Amino acid sequence: IECCGKEGKSKEAASLLGRMITEGWEARLQEFTGVMVACAKAGDFEEVAKWLDKSLDAGFKPDVATFNKVINAISMAKGVEHAVEWFEKMKEHSIQPDQVSWNQMITAFGRAGRKRDAELWLGAMENSKCMPNVVSYVGVVQACAKADSPDEAASWLEHMQTLRVDPNEFVYSRV
């Protein structure tokens, strides 16, 4: 199921999970997550929601890692708006976003070249209990680079250094 998930083979992943259950094997949250990731990578965001419901019906409570995997797969499938929905859905399930959750959102907007959105998500992260790290700033600097805003990218480099966040080669290469 995990391999199908990585490949975005949602029908195959769902079929394997169904077969596993039919044959009497105990499915875990991990298998449901694999099917959700496969659906997300395939761009079938409605199926992701259906499989979340199926995992809940099976008695599982998705955790932050489950949501992070789904959010990442959705954002990689160019579903930034759907990733936002899943970030909110995570909070609806009383799951606190962690540093990975926030960074995935910032990075998704960075990859999409949506500078203002990446900056807004970084600001929201700064206002949350999660502290930004170098990955957080890479996403914003990447958005600036895609938006052809080198001065703003340089400004973010200075800002992160002021906060004592050490830049890495990804930050420097994008400035």
Side-chain angles (χ1 to χ4, degrees):
I1 294 171
E2 184 179 339
C3 290
C4 289
K6 289 179 180 178
E7 296 286 320
K9 295 180 178 179
S10 56
K11 289 182 183 11
E12 291 89 339
S15 175
L16 283 169
L17 179 54
R19 195 166 105 203
M20 179 180 171
I21 293 168
T22 301
E23 292 178 7
W25 295 99
E26 186 176 333
R28 300 167 296 164
L29 178 58
Q30 177 180 336
E31 284 80 34
F32 283 93
T33 302
V35 175
M36 287 187 274
V37 167
C39 294
K41 285 195 175 191
D44 193 348
F45 306 125
E46 287 180 23
E47 278 296 305
V48 179
K50 288 179 186 174
W51 279 99
L52 174 64
D53 290 341
K54 289 180 183 183
S55 73
L56 292 169
D57 291 345
F60 295 107
K61 181 180 179 353
D63 55 14
V64 70
T66 298
F67 277 97
N68 285 344
K69 288 176 184 177
V70 172
I71 289 168
N72 184 55
I74 288 172
S75 69
M76 296 295 277
K78 310 244 188 288
V80 178
E81 301 309 326
H82 291 288
V84 172
E85 290 174 23
W86 277 84
F87 189 90
E88 294 304 320
K89 193 177 293 240
M90 176 172 38
K91 294 192 291 187
E92 289 169 15
H93 285 270
S94 301
I95 298 171
Q96 280 295 103
D98 63 7
Q99 195 173 56
V100 172
S101 313
W102 287 102
N103 284 343
Q104 286 178 338
M105 296 307 302
I106 296 164
T107 300
F109 284 107
R111 269 195 304 269
R114 293 174 53 178
K115 181 176 66 74
R116 184 70 185 129
D117 289 318
E119 292 169 342
L120 288 171
W121 279 90
L122 178 62
M125 181 183 192
E126 290 174 336
N127 291 328
S128 78
K129 294 179 182 177
C130 289
M131 291 302 300
N133 62 8
V134 68
V135 176
S136 315
Y137 292 98
V138 168
V140 174
V141 171
Q142 181 179 23
C144 292
K146 285 197 172 211
D148 202 23
S149 301
D151 291 340
E152 288 184 65
S155 176
W156 279 108
L157 172 62
E158 289 177 31
H159 176 71
M160 68 184 285
Q161 289 174 312
T162 301
L163 298 174
R164 300 190 189 279
V165 177
D166 293 327
N168 63 16
E169 67 274 14
F170 297 108
V171 174
Y172 283 117
S173 69
R174 283 161 180 82
V175 174

